[in-house]
Amino acid sequence: MNKDSAVIQGAFLLADKLCLPSSLSSIQKADWSRVGHPVLEAVREICGQHDHPTTASDSWTKKVVCVVWLKLLCRETGEDVEMGWRENPFFPLQNGLPEVNHVVLLEVVKSMAAAQTFANFLLCLPQSQICTQLEKLVQHVSSSPTREEDVRLFLEVWWELWKGRDEQKAGGEDSIETKFARQFARLSSTSSSLSAQAAKRLKLDPLNVPASSPTTDILYILLHALKDIKDHISTTDHGLQALSISLDALYTSFLIEQAVVLSPKEKMHILSKVVSIREKNEEKLSPELIWEAQRDLLASHAPSQFQPSRMTLREALKIITELVQFWQNSGLLKACDSTSPSYSAFKLEQSVQRVLTALQRVTEMADQEAEKNILRGLLESLAFPAIESTPEVTARVTSIIISHRLDDYQNFAVLFAGEKSWAACDELWMDCLEKNRVAFQQCDTLIKLTSTLMSKLHSQSMSVSQCRKLMKVITDIFSALSLEDKNKALAAMLRLSSRGFFGCSVPSAVTDGFEQELNMAFNCIIQGGGGASASVSQGNLNTAVSLVARVAFQNPEAALRSCCHSAVFNKGAFSLMAKILQQLPGLRGQKEIKEEAQSDEEEEEEEESIDEGKDALNGSGLLCRCLQEIIKTKSLSANEKEQFLKCLGLLMMPVMTVEGEERRQSFLPPQEVVNNFVLPNLSTVGHSSFDIELSLQLLHTALSVDIQEPDSCPHWVLDCSPFPLLYILAQLHSQTLRCWEQTAEGTVYHLSMDTKELLLSVLTMLGQVVGAEVAAAPSSWSRALFWLYNKMEELDWTVRFHLKPVWGDHFKNEVPSSLLTVCNLPEQEWSGLDLPQYGQGTGLLAWMECCSISDSLQSTMLSCLSLDKRRLDHVNMFSKGLLVALTQTLPWCSVSQWTRLMRVLRELIASGCLHVPFSLEYVDYLPLLDLRRFSCDLRLSVLLLRVLQLLCGSSCSHWLSVDGWAHVGRLYALAVREMMNSVRAKLPLPSSGALTASPKTPASKGSNPVCTSGASPKMSKDSLEDCKLAEGSPLQSKDSHMEEEEEEEEEVEAVVAAAAVPSQEVLFVLSQLFCHVQHIQVMMPGGQCEPLFLSSLEILSHYEAIMAAFPDSSSVLESDNTRHFFSTITDNLENQEMKAVLQQKIAQLVSSAA
């Protein structure tokens, strides 16, 4: 036992001695004032010795009340000392106290002003025990003499019970309250068991048992007790307090079913008035004062934890009405003293307002209407002083709530951040903000702070240093948020203003710091991981995201402009910028982000800034606007266009922005890209700085993005004027069909064939998407469908076939009437058009054009071709007509169309429909080779030679421009490469290992060496075996005969393998291809077609590889002749550099046999 405990024990022993001849166990209420002062002085002495008097006072007050109460219970229950020594943690202090009664306990509580402590101990007990103890309290208060201190104790205990346990002071398992509750429960259980045993021993007569058990209705006890002691309430303050508490008890027990939620502004309105009143009464503003006011507020708006079981609403109304009438007649309710308003009067005013409002709202009170009307009339007659509070007081109260993390401090932080009148108290407001940044780390608070800052920036009395300081604090608070909250804050900032803090004209002294931070942030990002070669780690990405988010919150537009600039102009940075933006979906500024409701009290300046933000976002979108500025102000290089395209492609890709989110979202939806970069630019061809090819690439990328829309939702492309867009694309495609023609003004259509290829792809993709939507709801789109079909009449007839998925089965296929003369097409699906440019004899031209449009149309044309292969004259006529049609079609084909036509030509040659005679133009003697497997490749090469001879002839050479001839060269080179691939497939080159160990082809013993240059005739294995057997000796042994057979088999396999390898045939075909390519290159205007030059080199390289892989394929003489012949052919080239390179390559064609 310590010194303090000894002091307490001595005080109680002294008090007990002062009671003589009586004792503390039998003391009366009136005698406590004579004997209790030693106890109070002891407690004061102990608390004054500690460093924290308030904390020590609370602790010793609890301890004294606890041990006195337990001492009383031990006496009542007759607890064994041995049991107490083992079980009771307070035994050392408690055992040294004299015996006490309830008077001592309650007078100690009253004298020490420990009503809150007593109530907290009561709240640890079961409700039945609470009622028992309250009845003892009521009995004590009512007993003579009843003074104002007794009334105060009763009212304070009542209200503390209604407020509930103070969780901040309650403590945990080792708290005094918890230990008290355990000891009380232990002693109560001991008392119950002893009482039961005594009852059994005494066999009490049922008549001697009390008629009714004690009530468990706490409200019943308290209201009736108040009714009994009403005569003893003689001061105005106690009268107001008693009526306020009884009205709150009525309200929380009968008139509400759930807690009434007050807004932070309503709470602050009440709390600031409370503080104003108490400060006028010379009470110091403190966190404890505000905390108690908050508890009062909560208790008066939440349903009571002690719901009545015996007390009825009518009875409660009756008692309270009687009390109001009595105290009003006594003059205790005259609270109209405006010079010194009291807290009790203010609380009563609040209670009266709540009850009156509730009585008007409650309709299920028909049977209590009379009581209700009487009470309402009495309450309405009460007058209260007007209480005002200043913004300075309100700001101080809010600052304390935030600083000490009192109840609901985060909502008060939102209020604190947004009240511009409080922000006028510069030092207090700023000091609270700087010291409590964590309390402001929520989106709503941050946006309120931002709005306040923007108002300061707008004001004429702006302090630059203070604004910069506030700006830094707000930005630091933003930086401490989680990524999810940062995105919410960014979205809210965009709703305020797209230029963030700088939505209005701001002095350069404020903006300079931001410009430096912006440049530094992006320099760090680019240098730390924005290059093409740098692989960005997750840590670096997180850092980059934080840096961009920080500057974006201050000025979204400037940050996005820097992102766009880096993505386009910093090599390889587009990927990192896209990843950063994908992590910041708050910068999307999409319409689906719901805007929070703005309160009615918001300032006009904030509303204007919000409206400005909405206008900025509902237009083209902030990111699109920044990108458009770059495109309009700078001419992009090819690499920059590629980065621009890739960046937008990544931003359109749906990503999971929030973990656990079901739906992926694009930072930049494809429809925004199409509406901002494609539609405006395609619809103003020739008047836009944005090139068509880039627009088409963007449209292609957008259509390729896999957006996971719900099945019920229409495709996003329907938001992009799909039918006008299809018409624009069809117009462009119709122009590409005349890409080499010159108009009357002499200009040449500048759309390249690569653009045409891209255009075809886009037209097909868009047509499929729109076609699917039309098929799903044909009636909804019929008008648009007919509009588009009619608009197609002014375009080339082939364009409609690219939109076949859109038409579906609504329209027939319309083709030139001349096509119907060479094709048996069903009339139900096909109809003829009389087109002036398709006169008699142009059927095959139209047929070829159809074959190049699509695979399905090509299949239809081949299957429906009207040609009798048994009639030689028909085949010859068809072949000649096809040659002319191919000549007319070739220059205007895209790569995909030319690939389809090559497939058609091969099929026609293989099926015998197309007759191409193969003449030996480049050989003097007929080679003894089997060229049947290469027949199609040779015929195709000859056919293309004839086409190019015709095209390069005097009648056609003027058709094409320089670019046109270059395109023809590329298409022919593509055909050569395709034929080369076909040849390679027939004789694959052996692996590198096989090349080093490749044996020479063995010749048969009886072969004629003179014939090696020709194709070796194939010989069956059986015939070779017969020859060997005929030549063998009959005297050979069996073993030697078997060995000889094995050798012969190996020899036969080698000969058969050699005969099966068409190496000489391949060399012959390659030589023909080389001659054809050289012939065409010489014929073509300019003679400097680089694709044909590269094709010639490729042929020579493969020729050399075959000679190396198969040494016997060419003799020394043959290779020498070949070199001489190739050199002669190449001499005709005009370009000396090309000629030199080819002749150098030809010189390397030396037979391995040499």
Side-chain angles (χ1 to χ4, degrees), residues 1098-1128:
E1098 185 179 358
I1099 295 170
L1100 292 175
S1101 296
H1102 194 58
Y1103 197 101
E1104 184 181 8
I1106 295 292
M1107 291 176 67
F1110 305 98
D1112 286 346
S1113 59
S1114 178
S1115 66
V1116 176
L1117 179 61
E1118 288 171 338
S1119 63
D1120 186 58
N1121 288 336
T1122 300
R1123 289 196 303 274
H1124 177 71
F1125 177 62
F1126 283 179
S1127 298
T1128 306

Side-chain angles (χ1 to χ4, degrees), residues 158 219-228 230 243 246-247 250 311-327 371 375 378:
W158 183 352
L219 182 63
Y220 181 88
I221 295 170
L222 294 172
L223 271 179
H224 278 277
L226 183 62
K227 180 182 176 183
D228 294 340
K230 68 178 185 295
L243 182 54
S246 58
L247 286 173
L250 171 71
M311 174 71 71
T312 62
L313 175 59
R314 172 179 284 178
E315 188 178 0
L317 288 170
K318 198 171 184 180
I319 292 173
I320 293 174
T321 301
E322 182 182 333
L323 291 173
V324 174
Q325 288 174 330
F326 178 81
W327 287 328
E371 291 85 351
L375 179 60
L378 289 170

Side-chain angles (χ1 to χ4, degrees), residues 652-849:
M652 284 189 283
M653 292 294 294
V655 293
M656 193 79 73
T657 54
V658 179
E659 191 172 347
E661 190 180 48
E662 291 183 5
R663 187 177 166 223
R664 295 173 176 269
Q665 288 187 323
S666 305
F667 184 88
L668 190 59
Q671 57 265 38
E672 283 196 31
V673 174
V674 173
N675 285 326
N676 286 289
F677 297 103
V678 178
L679 278 174
N681 298 308
L682 289 182
S683 59
T684 56
V685 174
H687 303 285
S688 173
S689 59
F690 203 67
D691 69 61
I692 296 173
E693 186 173 1
L694 193 52
S695 295
L696 294 175
Q697 287 173 333
L698 281 174
L699 180 54
H700 186 274
T701 305
L703 291 170
S704 302
V705 173
D706 181 20
I707 301 292
Q708 297 173 351
E709 296 283 359
D711 294 337
S712 57
C713 292
H715 196 279
W716 61 261
V717 84
L718 297 185
D719 297 329
C720 307
S721 306
F723 285 92
L725 179 56
L726 281 171
Y727 175 60
I728 293 170
L729 293 174
Q731 272 186 313
L732 288 173
H733 177 58
S734 186
Q735 290 178 13
T736 63
L737 298 177
R738 306 185 305 275
C739 58
W740 312 128
E741 295 180 14
Q742 292 189 349
T743 60
E745 293 80 13
T747 58
V748 181
Y749 290 103
H750 59 278
L751 294 181
S752 67
M753 277 297 168
D754 292 335
T755 306
K756 178 181 178 181
E757 193 75 49
L758 180 62
L759 187 55
L760 282 172
S761 177
V762 167
L763 198 55
T764 303
M765 292 172 71
L766 184 60
Q768 289 172 347
V769 171
V770 175
E773 295 294 331
V774 170
S779 58
S780 304
W781 299 103
S782 58
R783 187 174 178 181
L785 199 63
F786 277 95
W787 172 84
L788 181 62
Y789 192 83
N790 291 333
K791 295 293 282 185
M792 292 295 109
E793 290 181 359
E794 61 195 55
L795 306 180
D796 191 85
W797 65 274
T798 57
V799 177
R800 279 181 177 159
F801 282 99
H802 295 290
L803 298 179
K804 182 63 180 172
V806 180
W807 314 135
D809 297 328
H810 295 280
F811 305 100
K812 285 185 177 183
N813 298 314
E814 294 185 327
V815 292
S817 300
S818 59
L819 175 61
L820 302 179
T821 62
V822 298
C823 229
N824 295 323
L825 298 170
E827 293 182 1
Q828 298 83 359
E829 301 174 17
W830 299 78
S831 63
L833 292 171
D834 293 327
L835 301 176
Q837 63 269 39
Y838 287 87
Q840 189 175 1
T842 57
L844 282 179
L845 173 61
W847 186 84
M848 288 291 284
E849 289 177 335

Side-chain angles (χ1 to χ4, degrees), residues 993-1009:
L995 282 171
T996 57
S998 177
K1000 293 190 178 182
T1001 307
S1004 60
K1005 293 178 181 178
S1007 61
N1008 185 357

Side-chain angles (χ1 to χ4, degrees), residues 733 756-757 760-761 764 768 801-802 847-859 861-862 886 889 893-908 940 971 974 978:
H733 177 58
K756 178 181 178 181
E757 193 75 49
L760 282 172
S761 177
T764 303
Q768 289 172 347
F801 282 99
H802 295 290
W847 186 84
M848 288 291 284
E849 289 177 335
C850 283
C851 285
S852 67
I853 290 173
S854 68
D855 294 344
S856 59
L857 194 56
Q858 179 190 104
S859 178
M861 291 295 108
L862 285 170
L886 186 58
T889 308
C893 280
S894 65
V895 172
S896 61
Q897 290 174 328
W898 179 240
T899 304
R900 289 192 192 95
L901 288 185
M902 289 289 290
R903 194 162 57 240
V904 169
L905 295 176
R906 283 188 173 277
E907 191 164 340
L908 291 174
L940 184 57
L971 292 184
L974 185 69
E978 192 263 346

Side-chain angles (χ1 to χ4, degrees), residues 33 55 83 149 246 399 414 424 670 714 771 848 977 1001 1004 1006 1127-1128:
S33 60
T55 307
M83 179 68 74
E149 291 82 1
S246 58
S399 176
V414 177
M848 288 291 284
R977 191 170 298 111
T1001 307
S1004 60
S1127 298
T1128 306

Side-chain angles (χ1 to χ4, degrees), residues 933-934 937 979-991 1057-1070 1102-1103 1105-1111 1113:
R933 71 177 79 179
F934 302 97
D937 298 309
M979 289 184 283
M980 284 283 293
N981 291 336
S982 175
V983 171
R984 283 193 185 99
K986 294 179 175 67
L987 181 60
L989 288 172
S991 62
V1061 173
S1063 57
Q1064 293 180 337
E1065 288 84 346
V1066 168
L1067 290 180
F1068 176 78
V1069 173
L1070 291 176
H1102 194 58
Y1103 197 101
I1106 295 292
M1107 291 176 67
F1110 305 98
S1113 59

